[in-house]
Amino acid sequence: MEAASFTSTSQLLTAESTASFSSYSSSSQSLRFLRYKPNAKPLNCKSSRSFSVRASTDDSVVTLLDYGAGNVRSLRNAIKHIGFDIKDVQTPEDILKAKRLIFPGVGAFAPAMDVLNKKGMAEALCTYIEQDRPFLGICLGLQLLFESSEENGPVKGLGLIPGVVGRFDSSKGIRVPHIGWNALQIAKDTQILDDIGNSHVYFVHSYRAMPSDDNREWISSTCKYGDNFIASIQRGNVHAVQFHPEKSGDVGLSVLRRFLNPKSGKTQKLVQGNASKLAKRVIACLDVRTNDKGDLVVTKGDQYDVREHTKENEVRNLGKPVDLAGQYYKDGADEVSFLNITAFRDFPLGDLPMLKVLRYASENVFVPLTVGGGIRDFKDGNGRYYSSLEVASEYFRSGADKISIGSDAVYAAEEYLKSGVKSGKSSLEQISRVYGNQAVVVSIDPRRVYVKDPKAVEFRTVKVRNPGPNAEEYAWYQCTVSGGREGRPIGAYELAKAVEELGAGEILLNCIDCDGQGKGFDIDLIKLISDAVSIPVIASSGAGTVEHFSEVFRETNASAALAAGIFHRKEVPIQAVKGHLSKEGIEVRM
Ligand code: 1PR
């Protein structure tokens, strides 16, 4: 591993007046390093001499810089899982005392920089990194090292690496956010990436840093999505990754392990994948609700009816949520979704068992966890008001990486289409503003309505493959709320376009007609929606065989396919789906 030494911040600030870029020579090599533009307002960085704090010596402790902008529970769980304790940064001095520092950037660039500057942490971070102390930035924690970002900007970053962070360009035919498992092109030998090889790692972001001659020496890997962007950097003991190691399964955990314990040396290689590009995702979904005995169970309906058709009319019980989520993670699910299907009528923050389920599940599931149900404003029995943002925040704190909004997104879209104005107040807008749109999924529950003449309705119709009961050749897809109980005057097409504008980062596209039928996905619907929006679409409802998955990926632009019943009933293993897709030439994470 190369070991570069670092200039102090005060030297840098002097250097800035003479050059926009210059080279810094360490004893072993010459590297371009730590630039500020001339005349640019300097960061609030004092001389590192003002911080003469000794590093902590406890080998099993890692210091975490969590500035409170969002969910870092997944990362905490991953760190604990590999045997390390966490010390949280409270003051800038804690950064300087750290033996190893992990900085998981969460949220948007500008508020993150704002918090770092206001708390004096930007300065401490600069000093820590200048001293070549062990550092791992994750996602936004990589982007903040660059000079600036276009995210709601330009906004000045820490300025340690030359370059500007920009948005992916969806006009190049890619979906933004970049969500899912993609391949790395390793640019230099970096110990923490040693186990990755040809495996996919998990990304979720809309902005990225681009390689240039000025930052070339920093780049340890790139990733192709539209363009080649910077997937990781390394110099000396300073590392940062754009992907999420804590959500990249075993391979991701090995990245963390190698950073936290660099002496671990080469271990046996993990299973090698076939990664060359963004993989299609296979998602396991758990519909969760309380049964009549008061136990929280995984259930599964036929066309959203989750009760047994017996005299007792019980809620179907297909297993325990935490056990099943853990099993699906081990089986190779690329994501696990929990849908709290009765939360539309119960207050989710009062549903403590569900929050507990999330907490336990997230301790052992190191792929993304999406949680939905009941995200809306709420007043409890005592008249206390809870905003949808508070509900979502509690889900994030309990272990969700993404949240999914159903009914409330329908109301927001209706309102938006009626007024033509974004109020900024809907749950969708508020949550995506705070957590980023990549953290917000909209779950659509449409029902097919056949029509003879497309002009007979104001909603977008499709010519259906299989005509309706009265030989109708067209259908529109009516959105519903409250778990399919109420039809609304809005089509799935109109809803999808509206929620994309309001800040949804992804669409989970169910279909009530196909749910639990095992006859295949509704290709007409999925094609309609995945061609209408430029955010990723998850195809859901109706999977019965492995061929249904290859069909949906061949015939539509869906980014992921979700199934429930066939996995719960162990009819089709997740690995069988992936093996089939791979054989059919559809790239998946193995
Ligand atoms: O409206 O914000 O409270 O969210 C409620 C959430 O709960 C929504 O995401 C809604 O889709 C979900 N939901 C409500 N009622 C039901 C129900 O089944 N009675 N489940 C329900 C939706 C559909 C899929 C299912 C696929 C795949 N479940 O998630 O997993 O159809 O099933 P399959 O592979 O067996 O065909 P809010």
Side-chain angles (χ1 to χ4, degrees), residues 285-287 300-301 303-306 339-344 372-375 404-408 443-445 481-485 508 510-511 514-518 540-543 562-566 569:
C285 181
L286 296 97
D287 288 354
K300 184 66 213 69
Q303 301 183 326
Y304 283 34
D305 176 4
V306 298
L339 297 176
N340 190 349
I341 68 170
T342 49
F344 68 90
I375 296 180
S404 150
I405 311 176
S407 308
D408 214 45
S443 163
I444 311 184
D445 299 315
V481 293
S482 306
R485 287 166 182 78
L508 164 52
N510 302 296
C511 176
C514 297
D515 175 57
Q517 304 305 293
S540 167
S541 304
L562 171 152
I566 53 166
R569 294 188 298 269

mmCIF file of all heavy atoms in Angstrom, residues 285-287 300-301 303-306 339-344 372-375 404-408 443-445 481-485 508 510-511 514-518 540-543 562-566 569, ligand 1:
data_model
loop_
_atom_site.group_PDB
_atom_site.id
_atom_site.type_symbol
_atom_site.label_atom_id
_atom_site.label_comp_id
_atom_site.label_asym_id
_atom_site.label_seq_id
_atom_site.Cartn_x
_atom_site.Cartn_y
_atom_site.Cartn_z
ATOM 1 N N CYS A 285 -40.040 -9.836 -1.629
ATOM 2 C CA CYS A 285 -40.929 -8.902 -0.928
ATOM 3 C C CYS A 285 -41.691 -9.620 0.187
ATOM 4 O O CYS A 285 -42.210 -10.726 -0.005
ATOM 5 C CB CYS A 285 -41.924 -8.309 -1.929
ATOM 6 S SG CYS A 285 -43.045 -7.140 -1.171
ATOM 7 N N LEU A 286 -41.739 -8.983 1.336
ATOM 8 C CA LEU A 286 -42.484 -9.544 2.458
ATOM 9 C C LEU A 286 -43.630 -8.606 2.815
ATOM 10 O O LEU A 286 -43.403 -7.495 3.287
ATOM 11 C CB LEU A 286 -41.571 -9.719 3.673
ATOM 12 C CG LEU A 286 -40.429 -10.719 3.482
ATOM 13 C CD1 LEU A 286 -39.144 -9.996 3.102
ATOM 14 C CD2 LEU A 286 -40.191 -11.489 4.746
ATOM 15 N N ASP A 287 -44.860 -9.049 2.542
ATOM 16 C CA ASP A 287 -46.033 -8.298 2.996
ATOM 17 C C ASP A 287 -46.245 -8.688 4.452
ATOM 18 O O ASP A 287 -46.410 -9.870 4.761
ATOM 19 C CB ASP A 287 -47.273 -8.695 2.181
ATOM 20 C CG ASP A 287 -47.217 -8.163 0.754
ATOM 21 O OD1 ASP A 287 -46.292 -7.415 0.433
ATOM 22 O OD2 ASP A 287 -48.114 -8.512 -0.035
ATOM 23 N N LYS A 300 -49.464 -13.331 2.356
ATOM 24 C CA LYS A 300 -49.431 -13.182 0.897
ATOM 25 C C LYS A 300 -50.814 -13.401 0.357
ATOM 26 O O LYS A 300 -51.479 -14.383 0.703
ATOM 27 C CB LYS A 300 -48.454 -14.219 0.294
ATOM 28 C CG LYS A 300 -48.255 -14.097 -1.198
ATOM 29 C CD LYS A 300 -47.562 -12.800 -1.559
ATOM 30 C CE LYS A 300 -47.959 -12.180 -2.867
ATOM 31 N NZ LYS A 300 -49.234 -11.620 -3.099
ATOM 32 N N GLY A 301 -51.234 -12.483 -0.472
ATOM 33 C CA GLY A 301 -52.602 -12.559 -0.967
ATOM 34 C C GLY A 301 -52.708 -13.081 -2.380
ATOM 35 O O GLY A 301 -51.719 -13.347 -3.058
ATOM 36 N N GLN A 303 -54.561 -11.451 -5.463
ATOM 37 C CA GLN A 303 -55.186 -10.180 -5.844
ATOM 38 C C GLN A 303 -55.506 -9.345 -4.598
ATOM 39 O O GLN A 303 -56.571 -8.776 -4.466
ATOM 40 C CB GLN A 303 -56.415 -10.437 -6.710
ATOM 41 C CG GLN A 303 -56.023 -11.208 -7.978
ATOM 42 C CD GLN A 303 -57.159 -11.439 -8.922
ATOM 43 O OE1 GLN A 303 -58.306 -11.623 -8.490
ATOM 44 N NE2 GLN A 303 -56.871 -11.435 -10.207
ATOM 45 N N TYR A 304 -54.558 -9.343 -3.676
ATOM 46 C CA TYR A 304 -54.559 -8.538 -2.449
ATOM 47 C C TYR A 304 -55.487 -9.074 -1.358
ATOM 48 O O TYR A 304 -55.627 -8.447 -0.320
ATOM 49 C CB TYR A 304 -54.875 -7.054 -2.731
ATOM 50 C CG TYR A 304 -53.702 -6.293 -3.314
ATOM 51 C CD1 TYR A 304 -52.797 -6.918 -4.161
ATOM 52 C CD2 TYR A 304 -53.489 -4.954 -3.038
ATOM 53 C CE1 TYR A 304 -51.720 -6.243 -4.700
ATOM 54 C CE2 TYR A 304 -52.406 -4.258 -3.568
ATOM 55 C CZ TYR A 304 -51.531 -4.912 -4.413
ATOM 56 O OH TYR A 304 -50.464 -4.238 -4.944
ATOM 57 N N ASP A 305 -56.079 -10.222 -1.568
ATOM 58 C CA ASP A 305 -56.887 -10.833 -0.499
ATOM 59 C C ASP A 305 -55.977 -11.790 0.270
ATOM 60 O O ASP A 305 -55.592 -12.839 -0.258
ATOM 61 C CB ASP A 305 -58.071 -11.571 -1.121
ATOM 62 C CG ASP A 305 -58.891 -12.298 -0.064
ATOM 63 O OD1 ASP A 305 -58.575 -12.153 1.145
ATOM 64 O OD2 ASP A 305 -59.837 -13.017 -0.433
ATOM 65 N N VAL A 306 -55.640 -11.424 1.517
ATOM 66 C CA VAL A 306 -54.641 -12.219 2.247
ATOM 67 C C VAL A 306 -55.271 -13.218 3.211
ATOM 68 O O VAL A 306 -54.583 -13.831 4.010
ATOM 69 C CB VAL A 306 -53.658 -11.303 3.031
ATOM 70 C CG1 VAL A 306 -52.882 -10.411 2.087
ATOM 71 C CG2 VAL A 306 -54.375 -10.480 4.091
ATOM 72 N N LEU A 339 -43.403 -4.640 3.305
ATOM 73 C CA LEU A 339 -44.547 -3.748 3.164
ATOM 74 C C LEU A 339 -45.495 -4.012 4.322
ATOM 75 O O LEU A 339 -46.006 -5.128 4.491
ATOM 76 C CB LEU A 339 -45.263 -3.980 1.825
ATOM 77 C CG LEU A 339 -44.424 -3.675 0.584
ATOM 78 C CD1 LEU A 339 -45.192 -4.028 -0.688
ATOM 79 C CD2 LEU A 339 -44.003 -2.211 0.550
ATOM 80 N N ASN A 340 -45.681 -2.984 5.138
ATOM 81 C CA ASN A 340 -46.572 -3.063 6.291
ATOM 82 C C ASN A 340 -47.975 -2.809 5.744
ATOM 83 O O ASN A 340 -48.398 -1.662 5.605
ATOM 84 C CB ASN A 340 -46.129 -1.963 7.270
ATOM 85 C CG ASN A 340 -46.790 -2.074 8.601
ATOM 86 O OD1 ASN A 340 -47.733 -2.830 8.767
ATOM 87 N ND2 ASN A 340 -46.297 -1.293 9.549
ATOM 88 N N ILE A 341 -48.684 -3.879 5.388
ATOM 89 C CA ILE A 341 -49.835 -3.699 4.499
ATOM 90 C C ILE A 341 -51.097 -3.177 5.177
ATOM 91 O O ILE A 341 -52.065 -2.842 4.510
ATOM 92 C CB ILE A 341 -50.155 -4.996 3.697
ATOM 93 C CG1 ILE A 341 -50.667 -6.102 4.621
ATOM 94 C CG2 ILE A 341 -48.984 -5.447 2.884
ATOM 95 C CD1 ILE A 341 -51.218 -7.297 3.855
ATOM 96 N N THR A 342 -51.095 -3.125 6.499
ATOM 97 C CA THR A 342 -52.282 -2.537 7.146
ATOM 98 C C THR A 342 -51.951 -1.203 7.807
ATOM 99 O O THR A 342 -52.761 -0.652 8.546
ATOM 100 C CB THR A 342 -52.885 -3.494 8.196
ATOM 101 O OG1 THR A 342 -51.833 -3.948 9.040
ATOM 102 C CG2 THR A 342 -53.580 -4.664 7.555
ATOM 103 N N ALA A 343 -50.759 -0.687 7.496
ATOM 104 C CA ALA A 343 -50.355 0.568 8.144
ATOM 105 C C ALA A 343 -51.187 1.756 7.657
ATOM 106 O O ALA A 343 -51.168 2.813 8.270
ATOM 107 C CB ALA A 343 -48.879 0.833 7.894
ATOM 108 N N PHE A 344 -51.929 1.558 6.547
ATOM 109 C CA PHE A 344 -52.757 2.678 6.088
ATOM 110 C C PHE A 344 -53.842 3.005 7.104
ATOM 111 O O PHE A 344 -54.337 4.110 7.176
ATOM 112 C CB PHE A 344 -53.380 2.373 4.711
ATOM 113 C CG PHE A 344 -54.410 1.284 4.738
ATOM 114 C CD1 PHE A 344 -55.738 1.600 4.957
ATOM 115 C CD2 PHE A 344 -54.051 -0.039 4.566
ATOM 116 C CE1 PHE A 344 -56.701 0.598 4.993
ATOM 117 C CE2 PHE A 344 -55.001 -1.034 4.598
ATOM 118 C CZ PHE A 344 -56.329 -0.730 4.825
ATOM 119 N N GLY A 372 -42.168 -0.044 3.528
ATOM 120 C CA GLY A 372 -43.292 0.811 3.166
ATOM 121 C C GLY A 372 -44.505 0.528 4.022
ATOM 122 O O GLY A 372 -44.566 -0.470 4.743
ATOM 123 N N GLY A 373 -45.464 1.431 3.921
ATOM 124 C CA GLY A 373 -46.724 1.277 4.653
ATOM 125 C C GLY A 373 -46.933 2.401 5.640
ATOM 126 O O GLY A 373 -46.108 2.606 6.528
ATOM 127 N N GLY A 374 -48.013 3.141 5.446
ATOM 128 C CA GLY A 374 -48.431 4.127 6.447
ATOM 129 C C GLY A 374 -47.632 5.414 6.481
ATOM 130 O O GLY A 374 -47.714 6.146 7.464
ATOM 131 N N ILE A 375 -46.893 5.696 5.425
ATOM 132 C CA ILE A 375 -46.124 6.945 5.456
ATOM 133 C C ILE A 375 -47.033 8.105 5.042
ATOM 134 O O ILE A 375 -47.412 8.249 3.881
ATOM 135 C CB ILE A 375 -44.868 6.837 4.570
ATOM 136 C CG1 ILE A 375 -43.963 5.762 5.178
ATOM 137 C CG2 ILE A 375 -44.150 8.176 4.472
ATOM 138 C CD1 ILE A 375 -42.692 5.519 4.448
ATOM 139 N N SER A 404 -40.928 3.321 1.120
ATOM 140 C CA SER A 404 -41.843 3.249 -0.010
ATOM 141 C C SER A 404 -43.194 3.860 0.393
ATOM 142 O O SER A 404 -43.737 3.555 1.453
ATOM 143 C CB SER A 404 -41.946 1.781 -0.419
ATOM 144 O OG SER A 404 -43.190 1.496 -0.960
ATOM 145 N N ILE A 405 -43.691 4.735 -0.467
ATOM 146 C CA ILE A 405 -44.955 5.423 -0.185
ATOM 147 C C ILE A 405 -46.018 4.924 -1.155
ATOM 148 O O ILE A 405 -45.778 4.887 -2.367
ATOM 149 C CB ILE A 405 -44.809 6.956 -0.346
ATOM 150 C CG1 ILE A 405 -43.582 7.472 0.411
ATOM 151 C CG2 ILE A 405 -46.071 7.681 0.123
ATOM 152 C CD1 ILE A 405 -43.317 8.957 0.211
ATOM 153 N N GLY A 406 -47.171 4.535 -0.646
ATOM 154 C CA GLY A 406 -48.260 4.057 -1.497
ATOM 155 C C GLY A 406 -49.363 5.103 -1.590
ATOM 156 O O GLY A 406 -49.307 6.047 -2.389
ATOM 157 N N SER A 407 -50.363 4.955 -0.712
ATOM 158 C CA SER A 407 -51.566 5.789 -0.799
ATOM 159 C C SER A 407 -51.256 7.291 -0.830
ATOM 160 O O SER A 407 -51.818 8.043 -1.629
ATOM 161 C CB SER A 407 -52.473 5.508 0.409
ATOM 162 O OG SER A 407 -52.700 4.122 0.523
ATOM 163 N N ASP A 408 -50.366 7.726 0.043
ATOM 164 C CA ASP A 408 -50.124 9.163 0.152
ATOM 165 C C ASP A 408 -49.534 9.753 -1.139
ATOM 166 O O ASP A 408 -49.757 10.919 -1.453
ATOM 167 C CB ASP A 408 -49.181 9.441 1.337
ATOM 168 C CG ASP A 408 -49.537 10.758 2.012
ATOM 169 O OD1 ASP A 408 -50.743 11.000 2.239
ATOM 170 O OD2 ASP A 408 -48.615 11.552 2.264
ATOM 171 N N SER A 443 -44.808 3.116 -4.379
ATOM 172 C CA SER A 443 -45.407 1.820 -4.675
ATOM 173 C C SER A 443 -46.786 2.070 -5.280
ATOM 174 O O SER A 443 -47.619 2.755 -4.694
ATOM 175 C CB SER A 443 -45.509 1.048 -3.362
ATOM 176 O OG SER A 443 -46.402 -0.013 -3.480
ATOM 177 N N ILE A 444 -47.014 1.529 -6.485
ATOM 178 C CA ILE A 444 -48.293 1.756 -7.182
ATOM 179 C C ILE A 444 -49.087 0.449 -7.162
ATOM 180 O O ILE A 444 -48.549 -0.621 -7.450
ATOM 181 C CB ILE A 444 -48.060 2.204 -8.644
ATOM 182 C CG1 ILE A 444 -47.028 3.345 -8.698
ATOM 183 C CG2 ILE A 444 -49.357 2.646 -9.288
ATOM 184 C CD1 ILE A 444 -46.811 3.915 -10.104
ATOM 185 N N ASP A 445 -50.358 0.560 -6.813
ATOM 186 C CA ASP A 445 -51.244 -0.614 -6.751
ATOM 187 C C ASP A 445 -52.373 -0.442 -7.774
ATOM 188 O O ASP A 445 -53.510 -0.132 -7.413
ATOM 189 C CB ASP A 445 -51.869 -0.732 -5.350
ATOM 190 C CG ASP A 445 -50.823 -0.914 -4.271
ATOM 191 O OD1 ASP A 445 -49.903 -1.714 -4.455
ATOM 192 O OD2 ASP A 445 -50.934 -0.239 -3.234
ATOM 193 N N VAL A 481 -55.848 3.060 -3.478
ATOM 194 C CA VAL A 481 -55.226 3.376 -2.178
ATOM 195 C C VAL A 481 -55.747 2.364 -1.151
ATOM 196 O O VAL A 481 -56.647 1.568 -1.452
ATOM 197 C CB VAL A 481 -55.542 4.824 -1.714
ATOM 198 C CG1 VAL A 481 -54.880 5.846 -2.624
ATOM 199 C CG2 VAL A 481 -57.046 5.061 -1.638
ATOM 200 N N SER A 482 -55.177 2.439 0.044
ATOM 201 C CA SER A 482 -55.587 1.579 1.168
ATOM 202 C C SER A 482 -55.566 0.104 0.779
ATOM 203 O O SER A 482 -56.549 -0.620 0.959
ATOM 204 C CB SER A 482 -56.994 1.983 1.661
ATOM 205 O OG SER A 482 -57.030 3.349 1.956
ATOM 206 N N GLY A 483 -54.438 -0.314 0.218
ATOM 207 C CA GLY A 483 -54.267 -1.729 -0.113
ATOM 208 C C GLY A 483 -55.273 -2.224 -1.128
ATOM 209 O O GLY A 483 -55.796 -3.338 -0.996
ATOM 210 N N GLY A 484 -55.584 -1.424 -2.119
ATOM 211 C CA GLY A 484 -56.471 -1.845 -3.204
ATOM 212 C C GLY A 484 -57.940 -1.685 -2.895
ATOM 213 O O GLY A 484 -58.794 -2.012 -3.727
ATOM 214 N N ARG A 485 -58.253 -1.159 -1.711
ATOM 215 C CA ARG A 485 -59.671 -1.081 -1.312
ATOM 216 C C ARG A 485 -60.428 0.040 -2.005
ATOM 217 O O ARG A 485 -61.636 -0.023 -2.137
ATOM 218 C CB ARG A 485 -59.781 -0.925 0.214
ATOM 219 C CG ARG A 485 -59.453 -2.213 0.970
ATOM 220 C CD ARG A 485 -59.245 -1.925 2.453
ATOM 221 N NE ARG A 485 -58.881 -3.122 3.192
ATOM 222 C CZ ARG A 485 -57.672 -3.664 3.209
ATOM 223 N NH1 ARG A 485 -56.687 -3.131 2.494
ATOM 224 N NH2 ARG A 485 -57.412 -4.743 3.919
ATOM 225 N N LEU A 508 -42.124 1.085 -7.541
ATOM 226 C CA LEU A 508 -42.444 -0.335 -7.329
ATOM 227 C C LEU A 508 -43.826 -0.544 -7.940
ATOM 228 O O LEU A 508 -44.837 -0.047 -7.422
ATOM 229 C CB LEU A 508 -42.450 -0.652 -5.827
ATOM 230 C CG LEU A 508 -43.119 -1.954 -5.380
ATOM 231 C CD1 LEU A 508 -42.611 -3.155 -6.147
ATOM 232 C CD2 LEU A 508 -42.887 -2.189 -3.891
ATOM 233 N N ASN A 510 -46.770 -2.677 -8.787
ATOM 234 C CA ASN A 510 -47.582 -3.878 -8.562
ATOM 235 C C ASN A 510 -48.699 -3.935 -9.602
ATOM 236 O O ASN A 510 -48.908 -2.989 -10.360
ATOM 237 C CB ASN A 510 -48.215 -3.834 -7.173
ATOM 238 C CG ASN A 510 -47.177 -3.719 -6.078
ATOM 239 O OD1 ASN A 510 -46.359 -4.604 -5.888
ATOM 240 N ND2 ASN A 510 -47.188 -2.613 -5.344
ATOM 241 N N CYS A 511 -49.465 -5.018 -9.568
ATOM 242 C CA CYS A 511 -50.662 -5.113 -10.410
ATOM 243 C C CYS A 511 -51.643 -6.029 -9.677
ATOM 244 O O CYS A 511 -51.356 -7.221 -9.479
ATOM 245 C CB CYS A 511 -50.309 -5.692 -11.774
ATOM 246 S SG CYS A 511 -51.776 -5.916 -12.787
ATOM 247 N N CYS A 514 -52.703 -9.346 -11.259
ATOM 248 C CA CYS A 514 -51.709 -10.428 -11.391
ATOM 249 C C CYS A 514 -51.211 -10.927 -10.046
ATOM 250 O O CYS A 514 -50.637 -12.021 -9.973
ATOM 251 C CB CYS A 514 -50.499 -9.921 -12.181
ATOM 252 S SG CYS A 514 -50.903 -9.456 -13.853
ATOM 253 N N ASP A 515 -51.399 -10.152 -8.976
ATOM 254 C CA ASP A 515 -50.836 -10.484 -7.659
ATOM 255 C C ASP A 515 -51.215 -11.903 -7.235
ATOM 256 O O ASP A 515 -52.404 -12.267 -7.234
ATOM 257 C CB ASP A 515 -51.352 -9.468 -6.633
ATOM 258 C CG ASP A 515 -50.925 -9.808 -5.216
ATOM 259 O OD1 ASP A 515 -49.718 -9.914 -4.984
ATOM 260 O OD2 ASP A 515 -51.813 -9.969 -4.348
ATOM 261 N N GLY A 516 -50.203 -12.698 -6.934
ATOM 262 C CA GLY A 516 -50.424 -14.052 -6.421
ATOM 263 C C GLY A 516 -50.923 -15.049 -7.442
ATOM 264 O O GLY A 516 -51.205 -16.195 -7.088
ATOM 265 N N GLN A 517 -51.023 -14.672 -8.705
ATOM 266 C CA GLN A 517 -51.608 -15.578 -9.709
ATOM 267 C C GLN A 517 -50.580 -16.533 -10.322
ATOM 268 O O GLN A 517 -50.945 -17.568 -10.875
ATOM 269 C CB GLN A 517 -52.294 -14.774 -10.827
ATOM 270 C CG GLN A 517 -53.372 -13.801 -10.327
ATOM 271 C CD GLN A 517 -54.427 -14.513 -9.489
ATOM 272 O OE1 GLN A 517 -55.176 -15.333 -9.995
ATOM 273 N NE2 GLN A 517 -54.451 -14.227 -8.184
ATOM 274 N N GLY A 518 -49.305 -16.137 -10.273
ATOM 275 C CA GLY A 518 -48.248 -17.013 -10.803
ATOM 276 C C GLY A 518 -48.299 -17.181 -12.309
ATOM 277 O O GLY A 518 -47.712 -18.118 -12.857
ATOM 278 N N SER A 540 -43.481 -5.922 -10.464
ATOM 279 C CA SER A 540 -43.964 -6.755 -9.362
ATOM 280 C C SER A 540 -45.303 -7.385 -9.716
ATOM 281 O O SER A 540 -46.053 -6.845 -10.540
ATOM 282 C CB SER A 540 -44.122 -5.874 -8.115
ATOM 283 O OG SER A 540 -44.860 -6.537 -7.116
ATOM 284 N N SER A 541 -45.605 -8.474 -9.075
ATOM 285 C CA SER A 541 -46.888 -9.194 -9.135
ATOM 286 C C SER A 541 -46.976 -10.194 -10.282
ATOM 287 O O SER A 541 -46.892 -9.810 -11.451
ATOM 288 C CB SER A 541 -48.088 -8.235 -9.255
ATOM 289 O OG SER A 541 -48.090 -7.298 -8.198
ATOM 290 N N GLY A 542 -47.148 -11.449 -9.895
ATOM 291 C CA GLY A 542 -47.479 -12.465 -10.889
ATOM 292 C C GLY A 542 -46.402 -13.471 -11.212
ATOM 293 O O GLY A 542 -46.656 -14.417 -11.978
ATOM 294 N N ALA A 543 -45.178 -13.310 -10.640
ATOM 295 C CA ALA A 543 -44.111 -14.253 -11.003
ATOM 296 C C ALA A 543 -44.480 -15.666 -10.565
ATOM 297 O O ALA A 543 -44.903 -15.879 -9.426
ATOM 298 C CB ALA A 543 -42.803 -13.841 -10.340
ATOM 299 N N LEU A 562 -39.607 -8.215 -8.808
ATOM 300 C CA LEU A 562 -39.891 -8.573 -7.409
ATOM 301 C C LEU A 562 -40.889 -9.722 -7.374
ATOM 302 O O LEU A 562 -41.817 -9.782 -8.181
ATOM 303 C CB LEU A 562 -40.449 -7.330 -6.719
ATOM 304 C CG LEU A 562 -41.032 -7.415 -5.316
ATOM 305 C CD1 LEU A 562 -40.864 -6.066 -4.616
ATOM 306 C CD2 LEU A 562 -42.498 -7.829 -5.313
ATOM 307 N N ALA A 563 -40.679 -10.615 -6.427
ATOM 308 C CA ALA A 563 -41.666 -11.691 -6.247
ATOM 309 C C ALA A 563 -41.831 -11.980 -4.767
ATOM 310 O O ALA A 563 -40.964 -11.652 -3.946
ATOM 311 C CB ALA A 563 -41.236 -12.949 -6.988
ATOM 312 N N ALA A 564 -42.955 -12.581 -4.435
ATOM 313 C CA ALA A 564 -43.242 -12.895 -3.037
ATOM 314 C C ALA A 564 -43.624 -14.367 -2.908
ATOM 315 O O ALA A 564 -42.858 -15.185 -2.399
ATOM 316 C CB ALA A 564 -44.350 -11.986 -2.522
ATOM 317 N N GLY A 565 -44.817 -14.722 -3.394
ATOM 318 C CA GLY A 565 -45.382 -16.052 -3.164
ATOM 319 C C GLY A 565 -44.443 -17.194 -3.532
ATOM 320 O O GLY A 565 -44.244 -18.124 -2.748
ATOM 321 N N ILE A 566 -43.828 -17.149 -4.713
ATOM 322 C CA ILE A 566 -42.998 -18.298 -5.128
ATOM 323 C C ILE A 566 -41.780 -18.469 -4.223
ATOM 324 O O ILE A 566 -41.295 -19.581 -4.058
ATOM 325 C CB ILE A 566 -42.543 -18.222 -6.611
ATOM 326 C CG1 ILE A 566 -41.852 -16.883 -6.891
ATOM 327 C CG2 ILE A 566 -43.693 -18.489 -7.547
ATOM 328 C CD1 ILE A 566 -41.096 -16.886 -8.231
ATOM 329 N N ARG A 569 -43.235 -19.790 -0.640
ATOM 330 C CA ARG A 569 -43.679 -21.191 -0.693
ATOM 331 C C ARG A 569 -42.564 -22.126 -1.175
ATOM 332 O O ARG A 569 -42.795 -23.304 -1.381
ATOM 333 C CB ARG A 569 -44.909 -21.305 -1.610
ATOM 334 C CG ARG A 569 -46.151 -20.580 -1.078
ATOM 335 C CD ARG A 569 -47.375 -20.904 -1.926
ATOM 336 N NE ARG A 569 -47.191 -20.465 -3.292
ATOM 337 C CZ ARG A 569 -47.552 -19.260 -3.770
ATOM 338 N NH1 ARG A 569 -48.127 -18.377 -2.970
ATOM 339 N NH2 ARG A 569 -47.330 -18.953 -5.035
HETATM 340 O O1 1PR B 1 -50.596 2.811 1.173
HETATM 341 O O2 1PR B 1 -48.476 3.824 1.897
HETATM 342 O O3 1PR B 1 -49.844 2.528 3.508
HETATM 343 O O4 1PR B 1 -48.621 1.422 1.676
HETATM 344 C C1 1PR B 1 -49.176 0.178 1.779
HETATM 345 C C2 1PR B 1 -48.286 -0.786 1.035
HETATM 346 O O5 1PR B 1 -48.777 -2.084 1.278
HETATM 347 C C3 1PR B 1 -48.290 -0.555 -0.460
HETATM 348 O O6 1PR B 1 -46.971 -0.705 -0.957
HETATM 349 C C4 1PR B 1 -49.170 -1.685 -1.008
HETATM 350 O O7 1PR B 1 -48.660 -2.168 -2.239
HETATM 351 C C5 1PR B 1 -49.022 -2.756 0.057
HETATM 352 N N1 1PR B 1 -50.247 -3.551 0.229
HETATM 353 C C6 1PR B 1 -51.400 -3.131 0.806
HETATM 354 N N2 1PR B 1 -52.295 -4.158 0.829
HETATM 355 C C7 1PR B 1 -51.686 -5.211 0.271
HETATM 356 C C8 1PR B 1 -52.266 -6.528 0.093
HETATM 357 O O8 1PR B 1 -51.679 -7.417 -0.506
HETATM 358 N N3 1PR B 1 -53.473 -6.728 0.605
HETATM 359 N N4 1PR B 1 -49.506 -5.601 -0.689
HETATM 360 C C9 1PR B 1 -50.404 -4.828 -0.112
HETATM 361 C C10 1PR B 1 -49.053 -5.419 -1.861
HETATM 362 C C11 1PR B 1 -48.202 -6.631 -3.500
HETATM 363 C C12 1PR B 1 -46.797 -6.925 -3.727
HETATM 364 C C13 1PR B 1 -46.627 -8.406 -3.771
HETATM 365 C C14 1PR B 1 -46.430 -8.627 -5.230
HETATM 366 C C15 1PR B 1 -45.784 -9.902 -5.564
HETATM 367 N N5 1PR B 1 -48.492 -6.588 -2.143
HETATM 368 O O9 1PR B 1 -45.959 -6.297 -2.890
HETATM 369 O O10 1PR B 1 -45.592 -8.705 -2.944
HETATM 370 O O11 1PR B 1 -47.676 -8.535 -5.887
HETATM 371 O O12 1PR B 1 -46.571 -10.970 -5.211
HETATM 372 P P1 1PR B 1 -46.498 -12.331 -6.009
HETATM 373 O O13 1PR B 1 -45.095 -12.519 -6.442
HETATM 374 O O14 1PR B 1 -46.883 -13.369 -5.011
HETATM 375 O O15 1PR B 1 -47.450 -12.225 -7.150
HETATM 376 P P2 1PR B 1 -49.463 2.710 2.092
#
